[in-house]
Amino acid sequence: VGTAADGYAADNSYGDLIYTNEHSRRTGQYFWEAFPARSLGADVRTTYLFTYLDPTDAPTFSVEAMFEDYWRMLPLYQRRNAACFADADSADRGDLVDAALDSGRLEIRRCLYGLFPTYRDSPLPSRWDRLVAVGDASGTQSPLSFGGFGALTRHIERLTSALVDAVRADALDARSLSYLNPYTPNLAATWMFQKTFVVPSHGQRPANFVNRLMRQNYENMNDLGEGVLRPFNQDVVQPRGLLQVLALATLRDPANIPLLVYHIGPVELADWLRHFANMLAFDALHHALGPRLRLVADDLHDRKLAYSLRRVADQWEFGSGNDYEVRA
């Protein structure tokens, strides 16, 4: 839930990504994001509040109730950005929003709200001949970053070249088209990360569980440099960077590892380790055989086989995050 609003003249020069200013509550762990919306005006800022939920474990959740939390908590979060919120001294100052709106110091340009469902059994392979699913319909979206637009922009070059290849090779049957949305272990592994952000209604997690985990891992990624931090912030999981982060987390906060294992659960952890092992395998295959496999495909007269080999090479590359390049 969130708004784009005018009135942030105090400081509208930066944005926030996955920001928290309180520990988890019964309804979940709240996160903030904010950024200037200068296409609407110099002092217009978009702010929104979000959380991660298991729909089978959140029977009382409502978007309306979350929007009420947004209004109450917004002044404390944006007290340095909007002069009308400068007096906010707690996380329950919705009265400041009412006063700012009445006085005209804050003007709502638009409101936004919604639910973004994600599905664990994804990406979704094609089930019919000559029909391809893309974007949200393909299930390539991450359970961390919500909708599939970002996933689509990341994969669009791969998909367009693969579709051209499929048409030229007449590889338009359901089985051949399913190679366009293959299993990618780095996407599958993000489900455990999402699991750590979901606060179970029946659990006994410490209130600082998510913040402790986030703080430690972001400190580690920052210390490891842009080559590790930037891909994660853009929702690309790479096994080598992840391995460095996990090793550093174990060294710096070893007491948190048993706590994490306990609250995540052995089944979830074992499933994640399987995907992580596959990430490492895909990374090794991409570097050792990926370019060679593409060369072999280019020399084949059987266009359909060549198409299939290129899709295997794509799977290794994208499934290990090697499609991402850190640019200065």
Side-chain angles (χ1 to χ4, degrees):
V1 299
T3 61
D6 197 345
Y8 291 92
D11 190 354
N12 196 26
S13 62
Y14 66 93
D16 288 327
L17 177 69
I18 321 181
Y19 178 93
T20 67
N21 58 359
E22 67 171 30
H23 294 318
S24 64
R25 53 176 68 193
R26 183 180 57 82
T27 53
Q29 175 68 58
Y30 279 145
F31 299 88
W32 290 96
E33 293 200 4
F35 46 87
R38 296 221 166 92
S39 62
L40 299 177
D43 301 330
V44 179
R45 190 169 178 84
T46 296
T47 58
Y48 59 92
L49 181 72
F50 66 95
T51 190
Y52 297 91
L53 297 169
D54 180 349
T56 64
D57 190 39
T60 61
F61 174 81
S62 76
V63 172
E64 182 182 3
M66 189 174 178
F67 229 136
E68 291 297 330
D69 287 340
Y70 168 84
W71 297 123
R72 286 194 294 268
M73 298 166 63
L74 179 65
L76 182 65
Y77 170 48
Q78 291 292 284
R79 67 189 185 279
R80 294 186 178 88
N81 305 90
C84 58
F85 297 151
D87 295 333
D89 54 4
S90 72
D92 192 8
R93 292 304 307 271
D95 60 300
L96 292 178
V97 177
D98 294 336
L101 290 172
D102 290 342
S103 66
R105 298 175 74 189
L106 187 74
E107 179 185 350
I108 303 296
R109 294 293 187 88
R110 58 178 71 147
C111 292
L112 56 98
Y113 57 89
L115 299 169
F116 293 85
T118 54
Y119 300 93
R120 189 160 190 157
D121 186 16
S122 61
L124 303 175
S126 296
R127 297 185 179 182
W128 297 277
D129 297 347
R130 310 182 72 85
L131 186 64
V132 176
V134 296
D136 285 327
S138 69
T140 56
Q141 74 270 31
S142 163
L144 292 181
S145 60
F146 307 119
F149 175 74
L152 178 60
T153 56
R154 177 188 169 201
H155 289 274
I156 195 164
E157 184 177 353
R158 175 183 69 83
L159 287 171
T160 51
S161 62
L163 283 170
V164 170
D165 202 5
V167 172
R168 287 175 176 171
D170 195 28
L172 302 177
D173 57 284
R175 180 178 178 182
S176 296
L177 293 177
S178 68
Y179 299 155
L180 296 173
N181 293 318
Y183 162 73
T184 49
N186 56 350
L187 176 63
T190 58
W191 276 98
M192 194 193 78
F193 302 151
Q194 192 253 22
K195 182 83 171 178
T196 64
F197 294 157
V198 175
V199 178
S201 62
H202 59 281
Q204 300 297 321
R205 281 188 186 178
N208 69 340
F209 179 82
V210 174
N211 282 331
R212 178 179 178 180
L213 186 66
M214 289 279 289
R215 182 179 64 251
Q216 182 64 73
N217 281 295
Y218 264 97
E219 287 176 355
N220 293 343
M221 288 188 290
N222 187 61
D223 291 344
L224 290 167
E226 286 285 294
V228 174
L229 179 61
R230 190 176 294 184
F232 182 84
N233 278 341
Q234 296 187 15
D235 210 13
V236 179
V237 180
Q238 298 176 319
R240 299 184 189 194
L242 181 58
L243 192 60
Q244 294 178 69
V245 173
L246 294 176
L248 203 54
T250 303
L251 288 172
R252 290 180 170 179
D253 194 6
N256 196 41
I257 304 303
L259 189 68
L260 181 64
V261 173
Y262 175 76
H263 287 293
I264 294 300
V267 175
E268 195 79 30
L269 182 61
D271 188 53
W272 180 84
L273 287 172
R274 176 173 65 87
H275 296 309
F276 182 59
N278 287 339
M279 262 196 286
L280 292 171
F282 277 34
D283 182 69
L285 288 167
H286 166 71
H287 286 97
L289 300 176
R292 298 179 187 179
L293 194 61
R294 294 186 191 278
L295 290 174
V296 170
D298 290 343
D299 290 336
L300 288 176
H301 296 293
D302 186 334
R303 287 189 171 185
K304 199 165 186 178
L305 178 57
Y307 160 84
S308 300
L309 292 180
R310 292 190 190 100
R311 302 295 74 77
V312 171
D314 285 348
Q315 183 183 18
W316 293 343
E317 181 181 5
F318 281 78
S320 58
N322 280 292
D323 59 295
Y324 183 92
E325 295 180 7
V326 178
R327 295 182 174 87

